Structure formats: structure tokens, C-alpha cells
Amino acid sequence: MSAIRILPDRVANQIAAGEVIERPVAVVKELVENSLDAGATSIEIEFRNGGKSYIRIADNGKGMDEDEALLSLERHATSKIRETADLNEIASFGFRGEALPSIASVSRFTLRTRTEACAHGTEININGGKLLNRKECGMPIGTMIEVAQLFNAVPARRKFLKTDPTETAHITYTSRLFAVAHPKVAFRVIDSGRVVFQSPACSDLRDRISEIWGRQLADDLIPVDWTHPQKGFRLTGLTAKPGVGRSTRREVVTLVNCRPVDSRTLGFAVLDAYHGRIQKGRYPPAFLFLEIDPSEVDVNVHPAKREVRFRDDGSIRRFVIEAISEALNGSEAAKAASSQTTPAPSKRTTTSKAPESPKPTPEKLPNRPSNPPPASLLKPSLAVVDTPQKAAATERPPVAASQQKPSSQWKLLNLMRQRYALFESSKGLIILHIRHADQRVRFERIKAQFQVGSVPSQQLLIPEPLELEPLAAAALLQSLKLLNQQGFQIEEFGRNFFRIETVPTWLTIEQAEPFLRDFIDMLRQSRFSSGKDPMVWDAIARLAVNGSYQKDDHINELTVQELAEALLRCETPHTSPFGKPTFTETSWRDLDLKLGDVQS
Ligand code: ADP
Ligand code: MG
């Protein structure tokens, strides 16, 4: 008896399914790509439970007749490629003919489809790869595919799925990318009956981004359009104004020949182009379309991933940096020119990430207008050292800790390199790391305020508008009550619109919007399911101390002495909230030993 045999199709499909569809978002991706390949101008994506229990994709593409519909579920059935030679010039998205049979082999699968030539549609039901029935059905031209109970029969795969919110986030993110890549196609995305976003066909990319991510983000972008004179590469799209940054790379979107891709080459090139124009560790929102001869790029690295490789990585990288720099220089020059006649109106720029205040090289920016005051985030640092002017400027009530002044056991000897402070005590010598110490002091102060629930706050003269994309808005809504008990007053003001009316005094007005955006990102990325998790406040306090003392902040001996005293009153004085040491101590005894002074 031979041990080698041809696998039954059903098994082969289930194996292929493991490769092609790792998780629900891959189903969405395959089905939407099929819809696009079918020439759809309107696509609806509906799902529940992160796609695990239900996914439905409906399109108005050309549809399939009954024979085509049956064939589409056969392995390696594809209408898109005939010979291997075609592989080098693939214009369509799918070409393996694997997706439909694979998906149908690991779910309860329903296909309904109709072509223009046919008066009725065809419905096919499959369960775990087994054809249950096929029948005529009434239906408009196009295709609808339902995928229910994904991986139910394949526990080994189901085990690897993440929580519903995580899978949901993947699906909505991927849907957004499709919508950006195909502005001329109308999209509607529905999660458990709730519309996540919808956008009609848009002729303009900025409109599309505005529909999907909100007007505020769209307004923060400038156009890019640059062509390589010899190689014919072209980069178009919209990219962040200098100084505009986000805490995640989620809005750094790169597309190659209209296909959203993950590419280290492109990602790094974008970051490089913003070097010196954005704070380190932040990411410029950017929606960039690279057009390139398909033979220059390999999109087929992994069937389920979006990675691409370029034949000539170095040229692409240099080209992208040049294209974005060109756009940024253009925008800066235009701004400089306009500032000579009118004062820079840019409220938006000043309220954008304060610590990202661009530090452009002077030669690139001859006449920079009165731009973001550098790093206002950094000012209200040193928790205990509110000078009278500062207190007046921000209405900051005196901090409890600074009211009593116990005589310090540490005596300041010297400030060193704007970074360290040298102290002596009866026990030895201490070197304090000013920034780490300041972070610790701020952290405990803010946390203490959270705990007692009395957070001193300040009202904004003019409420600050905050527009969010729908998922972010939903995340904020969940935490709104808590935020509003903690020194904020944020009002919902129309769909996905909010108004920040009051902020805690530990935030400056300029920090409010960037802080809230980071906070929402944190909520959405992190393990917290909602703002009700007490750990959230720990994390918030950590976020809040981001604005602590920086090397180039002004600092004097009195404030450092006070900082040391405040640090010594902290619950956990030895480390910053991020786990870095706040000071190091060398005892007199150790010094004596080291220096051979043995009598003492
Ligand atoms: P591939 O896309 O690689 O060809 P699929 O398994 O995804 O393989 O699809 C198989 C075939 O089914 C496609 O080549 C296409 O002819 C047909 N098909 C799939 N989805 C649709 C759709 N939404 N509208 C029209 N035809 C479709
Ligand atoms: Mg396909």
C-alpha cells in the first residue's frame, strides 16, 4: 500500500487556508480584492465579533453566472491568469485562485452572485468545504459573500485568533486602506450593526481622507507630486505638514501601484524625510502613492501579507526622501512668503504637537514665521517649582508638596551639564538625574490627584475642537465620563466631534489636543479594554510626564534643590515612572575605601 497519495481537495483547501487566511482580516482582504477585480464601484463590508462569527462583503461588480460561480470555488480556478508568463505583469489583485475555496473550507460560506446577462442570481452554500446546495435567487447585479463561524471547525487555528477588539481593529484598518487606495469606489464598513465609516466615491484624495480620518487630519496634510526624471518613478499623495506627528505609525500609509503595502524601505524613507521636522519617536501622517513599473517590484512575498520588495531599494529610498523634502520645502517657503504680508494665523500649527516644534535647518527656512513656540510641553515641568509668573500664567494652584519645606538631607553642590545635579549628604555624594527625578515627581503628583479625584483644572477661554475618526471617537466616548471626573471637561459635539472645554492644570492648553490623541491611541493599542481599568490612570500619568524637564530647559539651583526634596517625599523615589534610575549615591565609606583613606 502506497503511503503517498493525492490529498483530497477539501484537505488541500484547509491546508491552503492556513496560509492564505491567517485571521478574519485576511478574508476581508481577499474578498474585497475580488470585488475590486470585478470592477465594483461600491463595496460594503460588514462583520461581527472581529469577523470571527460573521463577515459579509457585498459588491456591485460584474458578478458570475452559475457555472462561473461553481468554478470559482474550485481550487486553482481563476479568471485572472492563464500562463506563468502572466505572473510578471499582474494587474489584478488575486491570481492564485485559492481564496474562495480556502475560505469556504473553513467556514459556513454563502455566495450569491448575478451577472447582467442573467435574470436571476445563483446562491451556493458550503459548510467546511462541503457543498450543501445551490439554487437560484433574486439579487441585484454583483456578488455577496457571507463567511460565518470562521475556523469553528479548525480549533487549532481559532486558538491563534486575538480578542474581538484586536481583530476588529485589523479589519477596520484594512478597510480604511482599501478606501484610501480606491477613492473612486464607495465604501461602507459596518461593525455589529454600527457604521464605522462610509464614503461615497471621491474624486479627491483629501476628501477621502477627511471622510475616513476626519477633517482635522486632512487639513494637516500637504500635497506631494514628484517624478523621477530618468527612472519614471512617481510619488503622489498627501503628507504631514512639518511638526505634525502622531504617536503611532498607523497613519503612515504607503501604496505601491495603488496597493497598500508594508515596506521598510518606504517607511524609513518617510521618517528620514521628516528628520529634524518632527519630534523623534513620532510619525508623520502620510498617504503616499508610489507608481513604479511592476517589474521593479515583487509583491508576491507572502500571500497573506502586504510586504513588497523593490529591485532597486536604494534608488527608491532616495527618490521618496527627495519627493517629500521637495513638498515640505515648498510648503515652508510658501508659508514664509505669506508670513511677510499676513501674520501666521496657524492656530492649528501652534496647537499641534508642541514638543514636535520643528527644528528646521536655518538654510532651508530663511523666513520662518512665528511658529510653534518651542516645546511649551516642557515648561510646566518641575513639579514643585512653579514660579509666581508661571502660576499666574496657567492659574496653577500651589502644589501641596511644595507647601511644606522640610529641610533637605541633601545639599546641592553643583549643577552639571544641564542634566545632573551633585548633592552631598551626611552619608555620601549623590548624583541626581534631573529629568528622571522630575518625571517621578510629576508622576506621583498627578496620580495622587487622580486618586483623590480632585484634579485642579483650568477652563479654556475658547474651547478647543477635537475631531476624531469614528473608532477613535468611540474609544474616547467610552472614557469620557472618567476623563470628565479627572479635571477634563470634554463635550461631544456632533458626530465624531468634541470640544475640550477644561483641562487639568498638569496639561497646558497646547498640550490638550495632542495629549488626548495619544491617550486614545494608547487606549486602542493597549491591553485596556476601556478607560475604566485603573491601570489606565497609571498609564495616563506616564503619558503626562512626557513633558518633563529637558536638557535645554532653563533650570536653576533653587528649583533643583526643591526637586530633590520633592523626590525624597515620593513613594518610589529611586526610579522614574519608566524605570530609569533617578539618582546614584556613593557613600563616604565607599569613597574612603576607593581612595585608600582607611583610618576613618
Ligand atoms: P483569484 O482572485 O486568485 O482569481 P479567488 O479564489 O479569489 O481567486 O476567486 C476565484 C475567481 O472567482 C476569480 O478569479 C473570479 O473570476 C471569481 N470571483 C471571485 N469573487 C468575485 C466577485 N466578487 N465578483 C466577480 N467574480 C468573482
Ligand atoms: Mg481573489
Side-chain angles (χ1 to χ4, degrees), residues 407-428:
S407 65
S408 169
Q409 306 104 317
W410 291 4
K411 185 170 153 250
L412 179 65
L413 299 178
N414 206 2
L415 280 175
M416 302 178 299
R417 328 194 92 204
Q418 287 292 80
R419 190 158 61 217
Y420 298 112
L422 179 66
F423 291 85
E424 76 163 291
S425 77
S426 56
K427 288 193 219 135

PDB file of all heavy atoms in Angstrom, residues 407-428:
ATOM      1  N   SER A 407      13.521  70.419  55.801  1.00  0.00           N
ATOM      2  CA  SER A 407      14.905  70.704  55.444  1.00  0.00           C
ATOM      3  C   SER A 407      15.487  69.453  54.803  1.00  0.00           C
ATOM      4  O   SER A 407      15.339  68.349  55.286  1.00  0.00           O
ATOM      5  CB  SER A 407      15.710  71.074  56.684  1.00  0.00           C
ATOM      6  OG  SER A 407      15.771  69.960  57.537  1.00  0.00           O
ATOM      7  N   SER A 408      16.071  69.666  53.674  1.00  0.00           N
ATOM      8  CA  SER A 408      16.561  68.535  52.904  1.00  0.00           C
ATOM      9  C   SER A 408      17.776  67.938  53.573  1.00  0.00           C
ATOM     10  O   SER A 408      18.605  68.636  54.122  1.00  0.00           O
ATOM     11  CB  SER A 408      16.924  69.005  51.511  1.00  0.00           C
ATOM     12  OG  SER A 408      17.628  67.997  50.855  1.00  0.00           O
ATOM     13  N   GLN A 409      17.835  66.606  53.438  1.00  0.00           N
ATOM     14  CA  GLN A 409      19.073  65.982  53.914  1.00  0.00           C
ATOM     15  C   GLN A 409      20.147  66.090  52.851  1.00  0.00           C
ATOM     16  O   GLN A 409      21.269  65.733  53.067  1.00  0.00           O
ATOM     17  CB  GLN A 409      18.859  64.500  54.239  1.00  0.00           C
ATOM     18  CG  GLN A 409      17.733  64.233  55.198  1.00  0.00           C
ATOM     19  CD  GLN A 409      16.515  63.703  54.457  1.00  0.00           C
ATOM     20  OE1 GLN A 409      16.151  64.210  53.386  1.00  0.00           O
ATOM     21  NE2 GLN A 409      15.865  62.703  55.024  1.00  0.00           N
ATOM     22  N   TRP A 410      19.733  66.524  51.664  1.00  0.00           N
ATOM     23  CA  TRP A 410      20.689  66.651  50.563  1.00  0.00           C
ATOM     24  C   TRP A 410      21.031  68.124  50.355  1.00  0.00           C
ATOM     25  O   TRP A 410      20.153  68.964  50.296  1.00  0.00           O
ATOM     26  CB  TRP A 410      20.087  66.145  49.248  1.00  0.00           C
ATOM     27  CG  TRP A 410      19.868  64.678  49.165  1.00  0.00           C
ATOM     28  CD1 TRP A 410      20.074  63.759  50.154  1.00  0.00           C
ATOM     29  CD2 TRP A 410      19.404  63.962  48.022  1.00  0.00           C
ATOM     30  NE1 TRP A 410      19.762  62.518  49.699  1.00  0.00           N
ATOM     31  CE2 TRP A 410      19.342  62.606  48.387  1.00  0.00           C
ATOM     32  CE3 TRP A 410      19.030  64.334  46.728  1.00  0.00           C
ATOM     33  CZ2 TRP A 410      18.934  61.622  47.507  1.00  0.00           C
ATOM     34  CZ3 TRP A 410      18.617  63.363  45.857  1.00  0.00           C
ATOM     35  CH2 TRP A 410      18.572  61.997  46.239  1.00  0.00           C
ATOM     36  N   LYS A 411      22.330  68.372  50.199  1.00  0.00           N
ATOM     37  CA  LYS A 411      22.725  69.758  49.959  1.00  0.00           C
ATOM     38  C   LYS A 411      23.309  69.855  48.552  1.00  0.00           C
ATOM     39  O   LYS A 411      24.226  69.116  48.202  1.00  0.00           O
ATOM     40  CB  LYS A 411      23.776  70.151  50.998  1.00  0.00           C
ATOM     41  CG  LYS A 411      24.175  71.593  50.922  1.00  0.00           C
ATOM     42  CD  LYS A 411      25.037  72.001  52.104  1.00  0.00           C
ATOM     43  CE  LYS A 411      25.930  73.147  51.700  1.00  0.00           C
ATOM     44  NZ  LYS A 411      27.343  72.778  51.590  1.00  0.00           N
ATOM     45  N   LEU A 412      22.752  70.776  47.783  1.00  0.00           N
ATOM     46  CA  LEU A 412      23.194  70.890  46.389  1.00  0.00           C
ATOM     47  C   LEU A 412      24.608  71.454  46.320  1.00  0.00           C
ATOM     48  O   LEU A 412      24.915  72.487  46.921  1.00  0.00           O
ATOM     49  CB  LEU A 412      22.236  71.806  45.614  1.00  0.00           C
ATOM     50  CG  LEU A 412      22.602  72.025  44.151  1.00  0.00           C
ATOM     51  CD1 LEU A 412      22.508  70.739  43.349  1.00  0.00           C
ATOM     52  CD2 LEU A 412      21.717  73.099  43.518  1.00  0.00           C
ATOM     53  N   LEU A 413      25.489  70.780  45.602  1.00  0.00           N
ATOM     54  CA  LEU A 413      26.840  71.286  45.399  1.00  0.00           C
ATOM     55  C   LEU A 413      26.981  71.944  44.028  1.00  0.00           C
ATOM     56  O   LEU A 413      27.596  72.984  43.887  1.00  0.00           O
ATOM     57  CB  LEU A 413      27.860  70.148  45.510  1.00  0.00           C
ATOM     58  CG  LEU A 413      27.911  69.425  46.849  1.00  0.00           C
ATOM     59  CD1 LEU A 413      28.929  68.289  46.811  1.00  0.00           C
ATOM     60  CD2 LEU A 413      28.265  70.401  47.967  1.00  0.00           C
ATOM     61  N   ASN A 414      26.397  71.304  43.052  1.00  0.00           N
ATOM     62  CA  ASN A 414      26.620  71.845  41.705  1.00  0.00           C
ATOM     63  C   ASN A 414      25.621  71.275  40.698  1.00  0.00           C
ATOM     64  O   ASN A 414      25.125  70.169  40.867  1.00  0.00           O
ATOM     65  CB  ASN A 414      28.038  71.481  41.243  1.00  0.00           C
ATOM     66  CG  ASN A 414      28.564  72.473  40.231  1.00  0.00           C
ATOM     67  OD1 ASN A 414      27.873  73.459  39.910  1.00  0.00           O
ATOM     68  ND2 ASN A 414      29.753  72.225  39.730  1.00  0.00           N
ATOM     69  N   LEU A 415      25.350  72.070  39.667  1.00  0.00           N
ATOM     70  CA  LEU A 415      24.589  71.577  38.514  1.00  0.00           C
ATOM     71  C   LEU A 415      25.594  71.200  37.434  1.00  0.00           C
ATOM     72  O   LEU A 415      26.564  71.929  37.217  1.00  0.00           O
ATOM     73  CB  LEU A 415      23.708  72.690  37.950  1.00  0.00           C
ATOM     74  CG  LEU A 415      22.412  72.966  38.686  1.00  0.00           C
ATOM     75  CD1 LEU A 415      21.732  74.171  38.064  1.00  0.00           C
ATOM     76  CD2 LEU A 415      21.511  71.751  38.589  1.00  0.00           C
ATOM     77  N   MET A 416      25.346  70.094  36.767  1.00  0.00           N
ATOM     78  CA  MET A 416      26.333  69.660  35.797  1.00  0.00           C
ATOM     79  C   MET A 416      25.663  69.358  34.466  1.00  0.00           C
ATOM     80  O   MET A 416      24.708  68.588  34.404  1.00  0.00           O
ATOM     81  CB  MET A 416      27.049  68.412  36.321  1.00  0.00           C
ATOM     82  CG  MET A 416      27.725  68.659  37.656  1.00  0.00           C
ATOM     83  SD  MET A 416      28.523  67.197  38.341  1.00  0.00           S
ATOM     84  CE  MET A 416      27.161  66.097  38.541  1.00  0.00           C
ATOM     85  N   ARG A 417      26.169  69.944  33.401  1.00  0.00           N
ATOM     86  CA  ARG A 417      25.766  69.677  32.025  1.00  0.00           C
ATOM     87  C   ARG A 417      24.257  69.770  31.833  1.00  0.00           C
ATOM     88  O   ARG A 417      23.686  69.061  31.004  1.00  0.00           O
ATOM     89  CB  ARG A 417      26.234  68.290  31.571  1.00  0.00           C
ATOM     90  CG  ARG A 417      27.524  67.843  32.178  1.00  0.00           C
ATOM     91  CD  ARG A 417      28.082  66.665  31.440  1.00  0.00           C
ATOM     92  NE  ARG A 417      28.989  67.160  30.412  1.00  0.00           N
ATOM     93  CZ  ARG A 417      29.314  66.500  29.316  1.00  0.00           C
ATOM     94  NH1 ARG A 417      28.780  65.333  29.093  1.00  0.00           N
ATOM     95  NH2 ARG A 417      30.148  67.011  28.458  1.00  0.00           N
ATOM     96  N   GLN A 418      23.599  70.603  32.596  1.00  0.00           N
ATOM     97  CA  GLN A 418      22.141  70.781  32.475  1.00  0.00           C
ATOM     98  C   GLN A 418      21.400  69.457  32.625  1.00  0.00           C
ATOM     99  O   GLN A 418      20.268  69.326  32.173  1.00  0.00           O
ATOM    100  CB  GLN A 418      21.772  71.399  31.113  1.00  0.00           C
ATOM    101  CG  GLN A 418      22.121  72.859  30.988  1.00  0.00           C
ATOM    102  CD  GLN A 418      21.277  73.733  31.891  1.00  0.00           C
ATOM    103  OE1 GLN A 418      21.535  73.839  33.087  1.00  0.00           O
ATOM    104  NE2 GLN A 418      20.250  74.359  31.334  1.00  0.00           N
ATOM    105  N   ARG A 419      22.053  68.460  33.177  1.00  0.00           N
ATOM    106  CA  ARG A 419      21.429  67.150  33.185  1.00  0.00           C
ATOM    107  C   ARG A 419      21.478  66.538  34.574  1.00  0.00           C
ATOM    108  O   ARG A 419      20.569  65.867  35.000  1.00  0.00           O
ATOM    109  CB  ARG A 419      22.147  66.255  32.191  1.00  0.00           C
ATOM    110  CG  ARG A 419      21.428  64.958  31.943  1.00  0.00           C
ATOM    111  CD  ARG A 419      21.802  64.328  30.629  1.00  0.00           C
ATOM    112  NE  ARG A 419      23.210  64.002  30.551  1.00  0.00           N
ATOM    113  CZ  ARG A 419      23.966  64.111  29.459  1.00  0.00           C
ATOM    114  NH1 ARG A 419      23.435  64.544  28.356  1.00  0.00           N
ATOM    115  NH2 ARG A 419      25.229  63.794  29.467  1.00  0.00           N
ATOM    116  N   TYR A 420      22.614  66.785  35.237  1.00  0.00           N
ATOM    117  CA  TYR A 420      22.817  66.182  36.546  1.00  0.00           C
ATOM    118  C   TYR A 420      22.925  67.260  37.608  1.00  0.00           C
ATOM    119  O   TYR A 420      23.281  68.403  37.328  1.00  0.00           O
ATOM    120  CB  TYR A 420      24.112  65.366  36.560  1.00  0.00           C
ATOM    121  CG  TYR A 420      24.102  64.223  35.588  1.00  0.00           C
ATOM    122  CD1 TYR A 420      24.943  64.234  34.469  1.00  0.00           C
ATOM    123  CD2 TYR A 420      23.253  63.136  35.787  1.00  0.00           C
ATOM    124  CE1 TYR A 420      24.940  63.185  33.576  1.00  0.00           C
ATOM    125  CE2 TYR A 420      23.246  62.073  34.887  1.00  0.00           C
ATOM    126  CZ  TYR A 420      24.094  62.105  33.788  1.00  0.00           C
ATOM    127  OH  TYR A 420      24.083  61.067  32.902  1.00  0.00           O
ATOM    128  N   ALA A 421      22.661  66.855  38.853  1.00  0.00           N
ATOM    129  CA  ALA A 421      22.931  67.740  39.983  1.00  0.00           C
ATOM    130  C   ALA A 421      23.689  66.928  41.020  1.00  0.00           C
ATOM    131  O   ALA A 421      23.331  65.781  41.313  1.00  0.00           O
ATOM    132  CB  ALA A 421      21.624  68.261  40.553  1.00  0.00           C
ATOM    133  N   LEU A 422      24.740  67.536  41.547  1.00  0.00           N
ATOM    134  CA  LEU A 422      25.565  66.849  42.542  1.00  0.00           C
ATOM    135  C   LEU A 422      25.170  67.330  43.934  1.00  0.00           C
ATOM    136  O   LEU A 422      25.100  68.530  44.192  1.00  0.00           O
ATOM    137  CB  LEU A 422      27.038  67.160  42.262  1.00  0.00           C
ATOM    138  CG  LEU A 422      28.051  66.540  43.209  1.00  0.00           C
ATOM    139  CD1 LEU A 422      28.072  65.024  43.090  1.00  0.00           C
ATOM    140  CD2 LEU A 422      29.450  67.119  42.944  1.00  0.00           C
ATOM    141  N   PHE A 423      24.885  66.407  44.826  1.00  0.00           N
ATOM    142  CA  PHE A 423      24.493  66.740  46.200  1.00  0.00           C
ATOM    143  C   PHE A 423      25.441  66.047  47.173  1.00  0.00           C
ATOM    144  O   PHE A 423      26.021  65.015  46.843  1.00  0.00           O
ATOM    145  CB  PHE A 423      23.083  66.216  46.492  1.00  0.00           C
ATOM    146  CG  PHE A 423      21.991  66.916  45.752  1.00  0.00           C
ATOM    147  CD1 PHE A 423      21.637  66.526  44.463  1.00  0.00           C
ATOM    148  CD2 PHE A 423      21.287  67.963  46.345  1.00  0.00           C
ATOM    149  CE1 PHE A 423      20.615  67.148  43.776  1.00  0.00           C
ATOM    150  CE2 PHE A 423      20.246  68.593  45.663  1.00  0.00           C
ATOM    151  CZ  PHE A 423      19.917  68.186  44.381  1.00  0.00           C
ATOM    152  N   GLU A 424      25.521  66.605  48.370  1.00  0.00           N
ATOM    153  CA  GLU A 424      26.150  65.828  49.431  1.00  0.00           C
ATOM    154  C   GLU A 424      25.159  65.654  50.576  1.00  0.00           C
ATOM    155  O   GLU A 424      24.262  66.483  50.778  1.00  0.00           O
ATOM    156  CB  GLU A 424      27.436  66.489  49.921  1.00  0.00           C
ATOM    157  CG  GLU A 424      27.244  67.699  50.819  1.00  0.00           C
ATOM    158  CD  GLU A 424      28.521  68.045  51.587  1.00  0.00           C
ATOM    159  OE1 GLU A 424      28.911  67.254  52.476  1.00  0.00           O
ATOM    160  OE2 GLU A 424      29.090  69.106  51.297  1.00  0.00           O
ATOM    161  N   SER A 425      25.319  64.542  51.275  1.00  0.00           N
ATOM    162  CA  SER A 425      24.508  64.329  52.465  1.00  0.00           C
ATOM    163  C   SER A 425      25.417  63.782  53.554  1.00  0.00           C
ATOM    164  O   SER A 425      26.612  63.577  53.313  1.00  0.00           O
ATOM    165  CB  SER A 425      23.387  63.327  52.172  1.00  0.00           C
ATOM    166  OG  SER A 425      23.922  62.019  52.148  1.00  0.00           O
ATOM    167  N   SER A 426      24.861  63.539  54.708  1.00  0.00           N
ATOM    168  CA  SER A 426      25.716  63.020  55.770  1.00  0.00           C
ATOM    169  C   SER A 426      26.268  61.648  55.388  1.00  0.00           C
ATOM    170  O   SER A 426      27.303  61.229  55.873  1.00  0.00           O
ATOM    171  CB  SER A 426      24.922  62.926  57.067  1.00  0.00           C
ATOM    172  OG  SER A 426      23.776  62.135  56.828  1.00  0.00           O
ATOM    173  N   LYS A 427      25.575  60.979  54.464  1.00  0.00           N
ATOM    174  CA  LYS A 427      26.014  59.620  54.119  1.00  0.00           C
ATOM    175  C   LYS A 427      26.985  59.564  52.952  1.00  0.00           C
ATOM    176  O   LYS A 427      27.726  58.605  52.815  1.00  0.00           O
ATOM    177  CB  LYS A 427      24.789  58.766  53.766  1.00  0.00           C
ATOM    178  CG  LYS A 427      23.951  58.407  54.968  1.00  0.00           C
ATOM    179  CD  LYS A 427      22.965  57.307  54.600  1.00  0.00           C
ATOM    180  CE  LYS A 427      21.625  57.540  55.258  1.00  0.00           C
ATOM    181  NZ  LYS A 427      20.503  57.332  54.355  1.00  0.00           N
ATOM    182  N   GLY A 428      26.914  60.548  52.062  1.00  0.00           N
ATOM    183  CA  GLY A 428      27.808  60.447  50.916  1.00  0.00           C
ATOM    184  C   GLY A 428      27.488  61.471  49.836  1.00  0.00           C
ATOM    185  O   GLY A 428      26.887  62.518  50.100  1.00  0.00           O
TER     186      GLY A 428
END
